[in-house]
Amino acid sequence: MRKFFILVSVLILVLSCTKINDKPIDTYLSGSGVFILNEGNFRSGNGSLSYYSYDSAKIYNDLFLNINKRPLGDVPNSMVIFGDMAYIVVNNSGKIEVVNKNTLLAQSTIDDLISPRNMAIATNSKAYVTSIYSDSIAIINLNNNSISGYINLRRTSEAIVVSGSKAYISNWVGGNEIMVVNIATDKVTDSIQVGAEPESMVLDKNGMLWVLCNGGWMRTTPAEMNIINTGTNKVVKELVFPDKQASPSCLNIDRNGENMYYLDGGVRQLNISSSALPSSPLIAESERYFYKLGINPSNSDIFVTDAADYQKRGYVLQYRKDGTLLSTLTADIIPGLMCFK
Amino acid sequence: MKYTFIYIALILTISLNGQIALHKDTIRISEVVISGNRMSSEIPGYRKESLDSSVVTSYSHRTVAEVLSLKSGIFIKSYGMGGTATPAFRGTGAGHTQIAWNGININNPMLGQSDLSLFPVGMTDNIQIYFGGASMTLGSGGIGGTINLETKPDWKNETSATISPGIGSFGTYSGLVSLKTGNESFQTNTRAFYYSAENDFRYLNTVNSSDPAWETRVNNQVKNKGLMQELYYRWQKSVLSARIWYQSSDRNLPSSMLIQQQGTPERQSDESVRAMFSYNLDKSASVLYFTGAWLMNRLDYVNTLASIDSRNISNSLSFKAGAEKNILTASKLKLAISEELNEVNSNNYGGRIIRNTTALSASVESNLSDRLGTNILVREILDEDKFLIPDFSAGLQFRLLDAEEDILKANISRNSKIPTLNDLYWSPGGNPELKNEYAYIYELTYELRRKISSSINIKYSVSAFRNTIKDMVQWRPGAYSYWTAENIRNVSSMGVETSLSAKYKLNKFVSVLEASYSYTRAYDDGSDSEKNQLMYVPENIANASWQFIYKTLYTSWKLNFTGDRFITADNTKSLPAYLLNGISSGYKIKIKDSLIDLNLNIDNLFDVYYQSIAYFPLPGRTYSLKLLIQLNK
């Protein structure tokens, strides 16, 4: 009888051990972590959502499909968390999936967007969505998850940063301007000329808008960092990249608004008080193909994605803010932008 | 070389002419076996198959893509009704299958491939499939194989007019007319083709929202038309031919189920003019031929959502000249020179591009005995100003038993493929420094023909192949923000193909059973390769058809099986296998010199839901009705 009890308790222990390893993803989704949007191949419809959980130190893939029983769509580009909801902008499916930020259950879908790229929360009830092929940005009513209107910029848009009562939108593809929109009136009030192809922008703690201009794929004009005073909407400083072949992207800033990071043959770090661009990277690229960069606002961990050959599953690399590699994770096809929770 | 075969085949058909005149009921039979002469009419060691005139007639309103996918072991990757369809022959890419018209390569020089959905079967007389090494006899670049569309003269002293209207599901209207007349010296053949379809089929969208919903396919309209004029003049041992072929196609291209479209954001317009002039002189001990062709391709593609307005015109001048001479006792020496000049005007290239390719080939074909035949071919290609490493091909054919038709064939080839103009000059990313791709092809085939009884004939073949393709061009992200083309890929493919055909004929009843199966493994080579099957290459494909003809009635049942296809490089996701059934029945009657054939065809009889490309829906049961009226004099 005793032997039987021991056997049964050992069995229960063993079985419960396996249960602990297979704890449902829901437990980890509600904790702190990083969402990674895997773009997939254009028109192949194989985009997906991954999540790296700090609590379990593991990455979970194909979450949208597993939870909602349907594919996420074609080229999911970016994700924004606001309130209880997360908004996933799916570029080539022309939609935004509104999901619960802790369960990822789909709540509603905002359709009929034209190649949407990035979304920024303008007020508690309003958001703007940029478009890489339409001349207008869409205004989203966050109360009923619908498109309430458009703002005609007369040019395409990519990056968007909200500062107080203004929204700054970059005209990336073939452009060189930052459009300024008054959030209260939904009208374009100004346009600021910067370097060629402004790809990403961040706001620092002094209210200065740093714009990373890629230089254009033709490589005829060099890349630049333009600093705009949001009070005057004027460019106050320009840092030109010395190497004309440089193709920097993905400007990010930490939560303090002091240290910036971007991709340029590796991950480079730039402090807002610096007068010159860093001459060497903080994290070298070596054999990898760095695609997108994200900085965790809570601990300044650096997350970089490596799209590898753009066919097989890519990688997500986690570094401490000093550049020490913490983990190498396997995501899905072409892991791209990230969203931190 | 190409014309030798055609001409010899023509001679043989002429000798059977008397029989055809006496027994005028047209019976659908598979290729008639001509034993004894087989060795001399075919290059020894290579595998070639024909979809003969009866297949061409029954599929006349369909496209080459559809007939190959239903009747051959070639996998056709299709984006749906009216969408692009490209061949994946033995696991190779679309650029590794050459499409030829009477031996002249007609692949779009920019893409290096052809959209087989643009070729209506009714514009050909015969479709020949050159497997692997056999393609070397026509030209280079056909690493998977070459599909040759033949239009040839029928030297009968009669006039024949054909009108064939068709109607089908989803707003499909088609029509084929032809007028052929001539005598033993002169032939003219005119044909015209029209096809238009709404393609507004219903499908279940399982992926766009949480509840699957029935939707109607929109933006899927297709309008195709074509015209061909052929003139043939024959005197003594010479044949002169002039042909011109015009095709145009306008298509609205729908997106996948995951993308909701507004209006018609994506459409493509293709136009081509192909003019060919050839001369062939066939004395019994030597052959001389010359072909000149002008090929014009216009491709305009508009995608308003992606701000793409792509306009491309390519012009090619192609010349092929050759001589064959009997040497020694039973050998033939063949020399051929081919020259292709391409010119492209495209808003995707930096400027106007011209490229010149010359190839010189020499081969010796020997019938060492009535059981053993060999062929050795060498080809040197001059690509612009670069001499490439020469290609070669060696084939061996051995008849195992004297009295029977048991043939063993083996061949090994080195086949080069020059980079496409898009790989070289596309802006941005094209790489003018690209080297050519090359492949080693190994093939072993066993063929068997037997006459089991006076009414039963069977034909069986089994073939094993292996391809190793090196320096394959692949586009990948470069140092800048755009992708570039590089010769960095190596692919291996191997497999087995087998086919069986059994014909039973008794009085007025004919029954033909055909079945084929192919197994293909294709993967990226490399030291760290996990040998994952390439995406969209099915490991298993099988086709079968059973045809019955009794007097004026005919019917056939068709089955097509396509196995699972992986849609990710690491083989974790796949599209499920599917089995399609189809039935084609009709009534064919001869009234004096006229022929009337009414045919009803049902594809996907059991309404199977399947996809060829992930998230692109395909129609369920599809009907088509076709009438053929042929007046002969």
Side-chain angles (χ1 to χ4, degrees):
Chain A
M1 202 51 190
R2 231 168 76 92
K3 277 203 186 131
F4 177 72
F5 265 114
I6 291 171
L7 180 69
V8 167
S9 27
V10 166
L11 264 171
I12 291 173
L13 224 63
V14 165
L15 291 172
S16 62
C17 272
T18 57
K19 272 220 175 73
I20 286 169
N21 280 345
D22 274 295
K23 212 169 176 183
I25 171 67
D26 302 8
T27 344
Y28 299 115
L29 271 179
S30 50
S32 62
V34 188
F35 286 106
I36 301 119
L37 291 151
N38 301 292
E39 295 178 5
N41 301 107
F42 186 65
R43 298 189 76 210
S44 293
N46 51 9
S48 68
L49 183 67
S50 297
Y51 182 72
Y52 169 73
S53 159
Y54 270 96
D55 301 320
S56 70
K58 281 193 346 188
I59 189 166
Y60 304 90
N61 293 317
D62 239 345
L63 286 171
F64 189 90
L65 177 66
N66 291 340
I67 290 166
N68 295 301
K69 309 292 180 234
R70 60 183 170 92
L72 179 52
D74 207 61
V75 192
N77 188 60
S78 59
M79 184 169 168
V80 164
I81 294 177
F82 183 65
D84 290 327
M85 295 297 151
Y87 301 82
I88 307 172
V89 182
V90 190
N91 170 249
N92 204 36
S93 287
K95 63 175 180 176
I96 296 177
E97 290 283 357
V98 186
V99 302
N100 180 297
K101 73 174 182 192
N102 289 325
T103 64
L104 293 182
L105 280 165
Q107 307 292 311
S108 81
T109 309
I110 307 171
D111 284 315
D112 299 336
L113 292 157
I114 301 176
S115 287
R117 293 283 288 173
N118 294 296
M119 177 168 144
I121 307 293
T123 69
N124 281 345
S125 54
K126 183 162 74 175
Y128 292 142
V129 181
T130 60
S131 166
I132 200 167
Y133 292 127
S134 158
D135 282 353
S136 302
I137 59 171
I139 308 168
I140 305 292
N141 180 329
L142 295 172
N143 295 326
N144 57 18
N145 289 327
S146 64
I147 303 173
S148 63
Y150 297 89
I151 305 174
N152 190 352
L153 303 176
R154 300 184 203 290
R155 41 184 71 64
T156 61
S157 47
E158 172 73 359
I160 178 167
V161 165
V162 167
S163 170
S165 60
K166 290 174 283 196
Y168 293 86
I169 300 144
S170 79
N171 172 217
W172 173 45
V173 179
N176 61 355
E177 284 168 296
I178 307 294
M179 310 306 288
V180 187
V181 164
N182 180 313
I183 293 175
T185 61
D186 289 335
K187 294 257 180 290
V188 177
T189 56
D190 205 350
S191 83
I192 310 163
Q193 184 152 22
V194 292
E197 304 214 332
E199 185 256 353
S200 45
M201 337 185 260
V202 295
L203 205 58
D204 73 11
K205 69 178 187 186
N206 300 324
M208 304 299 262
L209 185 70
W210 294 70
V211 182
L212 179 56
C213 302
N214 177 262
W217 58 260
M218 291 292 283
R219 297 282 129 233
T220 47
T221 42
E224 291 176 17
M225 192 80 83
N226 282 204
I227 301 142
I228 297 172
N229 182 321
T230 56
T232 61
N233 285 344
K234 295 260 180 287
V235 176
V236 298
K237 195 166 175 191
E238 284 164 25
L239 296 168
V240 180
F241 282 72
D243 180 4
K244 214 172 180 187
Q245 299 305 315
S247 179
S249 63
C250 292
L251 185 62
N252 274 265
I253 197 163
D254 64 3
R255 192 167 58 181
N256 298 334
E258 281 179 9
N259 280 312
M260 295 180 294
Y261 302 83
Y262 60 93
L263 291 175
D264 177 17
V267 180
R268 293 187 194 236
Q269 184 182 12
L270 175 66
N271 188 284
I272 60 171
S273 55
S274 300
S275 51
L277 294 165
S279 51
S280 60
L282 171 67
I283 300 166
E285 201 170 15
S286 59
E287 294 305 307
R288 294 197 177 273
Y289 282 98
F290 285 174
Y291 185 55
K292 295 281 185 219
L293 175 69
I295 306 297
N296 191 332
S298 48
N299 56 16
S300 292
D301 273 355
I302 301 168
F303 282 83
V304 194
T305 66
D306 170 13
D309 66 0
Y310 286 70
Q311 296 283 326
K312 63 178 194 189
R313 288 168 175 276
Y315 305 99
V316 177
L317 307 154
Q318 178 196 19
Y319 297 86
R320 205 176 295 128
K321 63 184 176 189
D322 62 3
T324 327
L325 178 64
L326 294 174
S327 5
T328 307
L329 312 153
T330 305
D332 213 328
I333 304 170
I334 312 179
L337 290 173
M338 285 154 275
C339 178
F340 294 89
K341 198 147 91 76
Chain B
M1 210 178 341
K2 178 82 222 86
Y3 273 84
T4 315
F5 173 75
I6 291 176
Y7 205 68
I8 291 169
L10 286 170
I11 292 170
L12 293 166
T13 55
I14 286 161
S15 64
L16 295 171
N17 213 6
Q19 292 173 316
I20 293 173
L22 287 172
H23 304 107
K24 278 254 175 162
D25 39 89
T26 47
I27 296 170
R28 263 172 237 261
I29 53 170
S30 55
E31 195 160 71
V32 177
V33 175
I34 305 156
S35 58
N37 272 338
R38 261 182 63 75
M39 291 288 201
S40 59
S41 65
E42 225 187 55
I43 318 277
Y46 299 98
R47 183 158 164 241
K48 200 173 76 137
E49 277 175 17
S50 277
L51 300 177
D52 65 16
S53 54
S54 64
V55 173
V56 166
T57 314
S58 48
Y59 284 86
S60 62
H61 290 224
R62 315 279 286 269
T63 67
V64 171
E66 289 167 273
V67 76
L68 286 176
S69 120
L70 297 170
K71 296 291 287 179
S72 77
I74 305 171
F75 179 63
I76 305 291
K77 215 172 120 182
S78 164
Y79 277 84
M81 301 191 91
T84 311
T86 51
F89 208 154
R90 292 177 165 178
T92 60
H96 291 149
T97 299
Q98 301 300 312
I99 311 296
W101 179 38
N102 296 322
I104 297 282
N105 190 323
I106 56 172
N107 269 353
N108 184 321
M110 292 177 71
L111 294 160
Q113 55 181 260
S114 286
D115 181 354
L116 295 178
S117 71
L118 293 176
F119 298 108
V121 173
M123 298 300 257
T124 69
D125 294 320
N126 186 17
I127 299 174
Q128 296 168 323
I129 305 169
Y130 289 71
F131 288 79
S135 71
M136 300 283 297
T137 57
L138 283 183
S140 66
I143 294 170
T146 295
I147 295 163
N148 187 34
L149 309 174
E150 262 198 314
T151 54
K152 51 188 182 178
D154 190 5
W155 297 104
K156 290 203 288 261
N157 192 359
E158 67 172 31
T159 301
S160 172
T162 307
I163 180 163
S164 175
I167 186 171
S169 305
F170 318 122
T172 304
Y173 298 95
S174 54
L176 183 64
V177 295
S178 75
L179 177 63
K180 188 162 63 167
T181 188
N183 53 32
E184 277 135 26
S185 312
F186 175 75
Q187 286 284 325
T188 166
N189 189 358
T190 312
R191 351 176 190 212
F193 181 79
Y194 178 76
Y195 178 94
S196 90
E198 269 301 308
N199 289 332
D200 51 352
F201 57 92
R202 307 250 310 145
Y203 63 95
L204 192 63
N205 189 333
T206 49
V207 299
N208 220 17
S209 62
S210 23
D211 300 312
W214 280 98
E215 290 179 0
T216 303
R217 201 82 169 118
V218 293
N219 303 321
N220 204 2
Q221 297 86 355
V222 171
K223 262 197 179 57
N224 293 343
K225 51 188 195 280
L227 176 69
M228 191 187 294
Q229 172 62 52
E230 300 163 79
L231 291 167
Y232 299 98
Y233 181 60
R234 168 170 81 168
W235 78 99
Q236 293 174 346
K237 299 195 183 292
S238 299
V239 179
L240 210 58
S241 51
R243 303 173 176 96
I244 187 156
W245 182 13
Y246 169 79
Q247 287 264 135
S248 107
S249 165
D250 285 299
R251 297 182 275 193
N252 282 333
L253 303 172
S255 292
S256 74
M257 290 196 285
L258 294 168
I259 301 163
Q260 291 160 319
Q261 277 180 302
Q262 313 290 322
T264 53
E266 204 179 346
R267 48 188 195 279
Q268 183 168 323
S269 146
D270 291 87
E271 211 176 11
S272 67
V273 176
R274 299 177 180 110
M276 188 186 284
F277 171 82
S278 45
Y279 171 75
N280 188 299
L281 170 65
D282 193 338
K283 304 191 224 184
S284 41
S286 65
V287 173
L288 195 69
Y289 64 90
F290 169 81
T291 303
W294 168 56
L295 312 163
M296 189 283 288
N297 261 310
R298 180 179 67 78
L299 199 166
D300 292 338
Y301 170 75
V302 172
N303 187 333
T304 52
L305 212 59
S307 287
I308 296 175
D309 187 356
S310 170
R311 292 176 191 279
N312 313 278
I313 298 185
S314 72
N315 276 293
S316 304
L317 270 179
S318 191
F319 298 103
K320 227 178 183 180
E324 294 168 19
K325 191 165 170 56
N326 287 357
I327 57 170
L328 306 174
T329 37
S331 298
K332 238 192 277 195
L333 172 68
K334 302 181 191 182
L335 293 169
I337 183 162
S338 72
E339 154 72 35
E340 193 176 312
L341 183 68
N342 301 121
E343 182 224 27
V344 173
N345 276 301
S346 161
N347 59 3
N348 297 302
Y349 290 6
R352 187 160 149 264
I353 293 291
I354 296 183
R355 174 176 71 179
N356 193 50
T357 314
T358 312
L360 185 63
S361 71
S363 70
V364 176
E365 184 188 314
S366 300
N367 284 315
L368 300 174
S369 70
D370 63 350
R371 285 172 73 171
L372 181 63
T374 59
N375 184 64
I376 298 193
L377 181 148
V378 175
R379 174 174 287 121
E380 174 60 50
I381 300 171
L382 175 66
D383 177 18
E384 283 288 294
D385 54 354
K386 280 185 303 200
F387 277 101
L388 305 183
I389 297 173
D391 285 341
F392 69 85
S393 184
L396 182 86
Q397 183 156 313
F398 185 65
R399 189 202 296 264
L400 295 173
L401 302 164
D402 251 332
E404 307 285 351
E405 285 277 344
D406 274 56
I407 295 166
L408 196 64
K409 298 178 181 179
N411 68 72
I412 169 172
S413 316
R414 183 191 189 278
N415 197 345
S416 300
K417 182 184 169 300
I418 56 177
T420 69
L421 289 173
N422 279 358
D423 289 336
L424 293 165
Y425 300 112
W426 189 269
S427 175
N431 181 358
E433 308 298 312
L434 282 174
K435 300 179 289 190
N436 60 293
E437 304 173 346
Y438 65 96
Y440 283 100
I441 303 161
Y442 310 90
E443 201 173 59
L444 184 65
T445 305
Y446 168 69
E447 279 178 9
L448 146 75
R449 279 159 211 260
R450 287 278 191 282
K451 201 172 165 59
I452 306 250
S453 71
S454 60
S455 37
I456 303 177
N457 272 304
I458 64 165
K459 185 170 98 170
Y460 173 73
S461 82
V462 60
S463 201
F465 68 88
R466 183 172 161 79
N467 298 327
T468 42
I469 310 172
K470 305 251 182 256
D471 283 349
M472 241 178 93
V473 174
Q474 186 178 25
W475 283 73
R476 39 187 253 157
Y480 316 115
S481 43
Y482 53 84
W483 291 31
T484 55
E486 287 172 68
N487 296 94
I488 47 166
R489 203 173 168 200
N490 295 317
V491 165
S492 271
S493 75
M494 63 204 70
V496 175
E497 294 154 347
T498 176
S499 68
L500 167 73
S501 149
K503 187 182 76 153
Y504 172 77
K505 176 167 152 22
L506 186 67
N507 299 329
K508 297 234 181 227
F509 178 72
V510 178
S511 165
V512 181
L513 169 70
E514 286 176 333
S516 70
Y517 165 74
S518 56
Y519 171 75
T520 311
R521 271 283 288 140
Y523 51 86
D524 276 302
D525 254 335
S527 48
D528 57 348
S529 162
E530 282 154 23
K531 301 204 177 5
N532 289 323
Q533 179 84 348
L534 293 181
M535 293 199 286
Y536 286 110
V537 176
E539 276 185 18
N540 302 291
I541 311 174
N543 290 330
S545 75
W546 206 346
Q547 207 180 78
F548 299 95
I549 304 167
Y550 181 64
K551 292 192 193 170
T552 55
L553 295 168
Y554 63 89
T555 189
S556 69
W557 188 280
K558 303 171 274 191
L559 280 114
N560 300 99
F561 172 77
T562 306
D564 291 343
R565 287 133 296 140
F566 292 111
I567 57 172
T568 54
D570 63 2
N571 288 0
T572 47
K573 292 207 180 114
S574 62
L575 282 177
Y578 55 89
L579 174 67
L580 298 176
N581 282 269
I583 187 165
S584 175
S585 296
Y587 178 71
K588 189 166 178 168
I589 189 166
K590 290 197 74 59
I591 302 172
K592 284 195 239 180
D593 285 329
S594 312
L595 177 70
I596 297 180
D597 183 349
L598 182 65
N599 172 274
L600 172 68
N601 187 73
I602 307 176
D603 283 322
N604 197 353
L605 189 61
F606 300 127
D607 223 13
V608 167
Y609 182 74
Y610 70 106
Q611 288 170 10
S612 175
I613 306 281
Y615 305 118
F616 279 80
L618 291 170
R621 193 177 305 119
T622 310
Y623 299 89
S624 62
L625 188 66
K626 198 174 73 174
L627 175 67
L628 175 100
I629 301 171
Q630 186 175 63
L631 304 160
N632 297 320
K633 202 168 64 72

